Amino acid sequence: MSSYRENKDFKINIPKHVRMILGILEQNGYEAFAVGGCVRDTILGREPQDWDITTSALPKQVKALFHRTIDTGILHGTVTVMLGHIGYEVTTYRIDGEYNDNRHPESVEFTSDLVEDLKRRDFTINAMAYNPTVGLIDVFDGMGDLERGQIRCVGDARERFGEDALRILRAVRFSAQLGFEIEKNTLSSITEMAATLKYISAERIRVELEKLIMSDHPEKLITAYDTGITKVILPEFDRMMECPQNTPYHKYNVGVHTVKVLQNVPNTKEMRLAALFHDVGKPYSITYDKKDSDRMHFYGHAKVGAEMTPQIMRRLKMDNKTIKTVTRLVACHDDRPVSRECTPEAVRRSVHKIGKDIYELYLQLVYADFQGKSDYGKEKGYDGYLYTCSQYKKIIENHICTSTKELQISGKDLIALGCPTGAAIGDILDTLLDEVLKDPEKNNKIDLERRALDLISGTAQ
Ligand code: ATP
Ligand code: MG
């Protein structure tokens, strides 16, 4: 083993299973360490996503020592050791060969030297290893960078980004998750190399982009813009950053406003994506006021956004369920059900139109949208928003019907009452719902059947 700084006194808490795996490997004459994200997160007091283990044992030697293993990436040296229901990735110390395509090493080579394995890792804070007997191995001052709150490449930044361009986006992702700054030289190399992200698959980009926007610091998306990253992976965001909003409702451009909205919605995938795309149609919906030619309008931007959103999300290989929900939220985000008349009926009709399943999400998006506006924009309509929230609460608490599914009469009932099969059933249910939205008291079997009979006799004529 080559020499490196060890810190035996440094102790971190590692789970029992991980200690067991490290212990078994060591007892059999191999070296083994927890490595990467789990060491970083534990030192920061954050919950690690998973525990990765790096070892001098070759994959077949790892497999010989554990009862249940899965060949996860045996060619790259990774074996998953199953303990209970949890899998732990155990990877042999590795040196990556030449990178000729900005994303993959041509070959990998196993090594018995931990330092060689740490050298291939992306950032100093991700290149620390720990085990309870040896302590912390920190060859590149990852600890110092954790203290400084800094993302810095292991070795020469340009070279490292040249090997695997995804690291360019990962740097911004980690800075967003940890609230860290990117070290100066690493940052300038990002700007220099951002265009090479075009060689990276949409799937790998998606993973990092989602982590970035779901983080505690989604505002780092602006760093992705400043460095030329979004120009490659999300040019629509560049259009938003370049789109001013000369209206009394706003004080930021569309991009900065979008970031404010990202910061104010819950950090679920659907909500963060809905926030990201809610105004994506604005740059394409600009008109100028007839009386005041400086003043902008964005009529119809939600509709344009709802057309663009699924296209962008499909390009980023996102799943259909998420695409559907996010697109619906983008389409309705600018609806203001009570801007004209503040009535319970107007809110019921809005819940019907938008859907009970996403109404809560819609309200969260509208709330966040207000937070990103000017003081005037924040005030204007806020009473209406609060009224909508209170009426929505009543609808849920009192199980008030807002869809044909919730009517106390079904298509089958209509047929039993003599309704001809086909389109008439849907038409009658729609009419009944319309009347129930006007007056929820009418959602009872007696009234509905009586009214249905009238309507059926109407269709028979
Ligand atoms: P997360 O909390 O998102 O899992 P992580 O640091 O564990 O963060 P992973 O993508 O799971 O990130 O990768 C595990 C480790 O493998 C990293 O900490 C890093 O040491 C190394 N690594 C991952 N991807 C790369 C890459 N593209 N280039 C170099 N090293 C990488
Ligand atoms: Mg990980």
Side-chain angles (χ1 to χ4, degrees):
M1 214 198 293
S2 51
S3 65
Y4 43 70
R5 234 172 310 152
E6 293 181 6
N7 186 348
K8 276 201 176 52
D9 299 331
F10 191 83
K11 289 273 171 261
I12 64 176
N13 239 341
I14 54 176
K16 198 175 69 200
H17 280 171
V18 177
R19 274 206 308 275
M20 255 174 69
I21 297 172
L22 298 178
I24 290 172
L25 285 160
E26 279 193 326
Q27 281 151 28
N28 285 276
Y30 306 110
E31 294 176 10
F33 293 85
V35 70
C38 57
V39 176
R40 174 199 72 218
D41 287 342
T42 311
I43 295 172
L44 287 172
R46 297 166 67 96
E47 184 73 28
Q49 299 281 316
D50 39 41
W51 287 82
D52 293 326
I53 291 160
T54 188
T55 179
S56 60
L58 294 169
K60 60 172 189 290
Q61 295 169 326
V62 175
K63 287 172 70 172
L65 290 177
F66 298 93
H67 205 53
R68 283 191 302 142
T69 61
I70 301 166
D71 290 1
T72 317
I74 200 99
L75 289 178
H76 295 96
T78 303
V79 172
T80 298
V81 172
M82 295 300 299
L83 291 182
H85 296 293
I86 309 176
Y88 297 88
E89 289 200 349
V90 179
T91 304
T92 306
Y93 294 167
R94 208 173 87 182
I95 301 175
D96 291 337
E98 285 286 298
Y99 286 80
N100 294 325
D101 60 356
N102 301 91
R103 56 194 162 179
H104 296 124
E106 292 291 297
S107 59
V108 303
E109 192 188 311
F110 298 138
T111 167
S112 57
D113 185 352
L114 171 64
V115 175
E116 287 301 320
D117 183 86
L118 296 177
K119 270 190 203 161
R120 72 174 173 88
R121 294 174 184 273
D122 46 9
F123 306 109
T124 60
I125 58 168
N126 288 347
M128 291 184 282
Y130 177 84
N131 87 17
T133 39
V134 181
L136 186 74
I137 307 291
D138 177 15
V139 194
F140 308 104
D141 195 25
M143 216 34 196
D145 284 330
L146 279 185
E147 277 157 15
R148 287 183 285 272
Q150 165 165 292
I151 309 294
R152 181 166 60 92
C153 280
V154 169
D156 182 71
R158 266 192 104 251
E159 207 176 289
R160 304 317 307 282
F161 292 139
E163 292 165 356
D164 179 1
L166 187 70
R167 293 169 186 161
I168 294 167
L169 178 55
R170 281 172 62 87
V172 182
R173 183 263 273 199
F174 286 116
S175 98
Q177 285 183 319
L178 305 173
F180 281 18
E181 293 305 316
I182 300 172
E183 180 269 333
K184 206 165 129 266
N185 184 43
T186 300
L187 188 67
S188 62
S189 303
I190 289 176
T191 310
E192 221 174 294
M193 309 284 285
T196 59
L197 270 166
K198 69 173 183 230
Y199 298 114
I200 302 300
S201 72
E203 287 83 354
R204 292 180 81 203
I205 300 247
R206 184 200 62 225
V207 172
E208 299 298 331
L209 180 63
E210 284 179 354
K211 286 184 177 177
L212 195 173
I213 63 166
M214 287 169 68
S215 69
D216 283 351
H217 297 278
E219 69 277 9
K220 297 285 184 189
L221 194 58
I222 309 262
T223 307
Y225 166 74
D226 289 337
T227 51
I229 292 175
T230 53
K231 186 176 175 197
V232 185
I233 66 166
L234 196 63
E236 294 82 0
F237 187 70
D238 290 34
R239 301 292 86 71
M240 291 194 247
M241 288 297 292
E242 293 154 5
C243 182
Q245 302 198 83
N246 299 334
T247 99
Y249 301 107
H250 283 278
K251 59 175 177 184
Y252 305 114
N253 69 41
V254 176
V256 174
H257 161 75
T258 293
V259 164
K260 302 276 172 204
V261 180
L262 275 168
Q263 290 172 314
N264 281 287
V265 292
N267 64 352
T268 61
K269 182 154 79 173
E270 281 163 350
M271 287 311 289
R272 290 291 169 99
L273 286 167
L276 179 62
F277 294 130
H278 80 286
D279 275 350
V280 72
K282 272 194 173 169
Y284 307 93
S285 318
I286 301 168
T287 53
Y288 291 91
D289 198 83
K290 286 204 185 75
K291 288 193 202 118
D292 173 0
S293 61
D294 284 338
R295 180 171 172 181
M296 297 164 87
H297 295 287
F298 301 97
Y299 299 124
H301 74 273
K303 187 165 179 285
V304 176
E307 280 159 19
M308 294 173 67
T309 298
Q311 292 175 20
I312 302 168
M313 290 179 74
R314 274 198 289 272
R315 186 182 79 212
L316 290 165
K317 305 277 189 258
M318 293 179 177
D319 66 276
N320 284 332
K321 186 167 169 279
T322 311
I323 294 178
K324 209 167 156 204
T325 307
V326 172
T327 303
R328 285 172 66 199
L329 287 167
V330 172
C332 70
H333 83 272
D334 210 30
D335 282 14
R336 293 295 174 268
V338 299
S339 58
R340 285 197 188 85
E341 33 155 10
C342 235
T343 64
E345 181 183 340
V347 180
R348 289 196 292 272
R349 290 199 181 273
S350 163
V351 176
H352 165 60
K353 178 174 170 242
I354 291 172
K356 239 178 210 171
D357 60 332
I358 62 161
Y359 209 77
E360 183 115 29
L361 304 183
Y362 152 77
L363 290 173
Q364 288 171 347
L365 186 56
V366 174
Y367 168 82
D369 204 356
F370 273 116
Q371 307 315 309
K373 295 187 183 188
S374 65
D375 288 344
Y376 174 76
K378 271 183 199 150
E379 261 167 50
K380 188 96 177 146
Y382 201 71
D383 287 348
Y385 166 72
L386 292 178
Y387 178 82
T388 307
C389 291
S390 70
Q391 287 301 319
Y392 170 69
K393 196 159 165 257
K394 283 191 183 146
I395 290 170
I396 296 304
E397 280 169 4
N398 302 325
H399 305 284
I400 291 174
C401 166
T402 58
S403 67
T404 50
K405 284 198 308 285
E406 296 165 292
L407 284 169
Q408 294 296 321
I409 196 165
S410 68
K412 260 194 201 136
D413 298 330
L414 294 183
I415 294 168
L417 292 173
C419 179
T421 51
I425 296 176
D427 290 346
I428 292 177
L429 288 174
D430 286 344
T431 306
L432 294 173
L433 176 65
D434 186 65
E435 292 169 8
V436 164
L437 286 171
K438 212 171 279 162
D439 178 6
E441 295 292 316
K442 289 192 172 152
N443 190 24
N444 67 78
K445 246 192 151 88
I446 298 170
D447 281 336
L448 288 170
E449 283 189 0
R450 192 181 308 135
R451 186 66 185 114
L453 283 170
D454 280 355
L455 292 166
I456 291 166
S457 64
T459 60
Q461 281 161 11

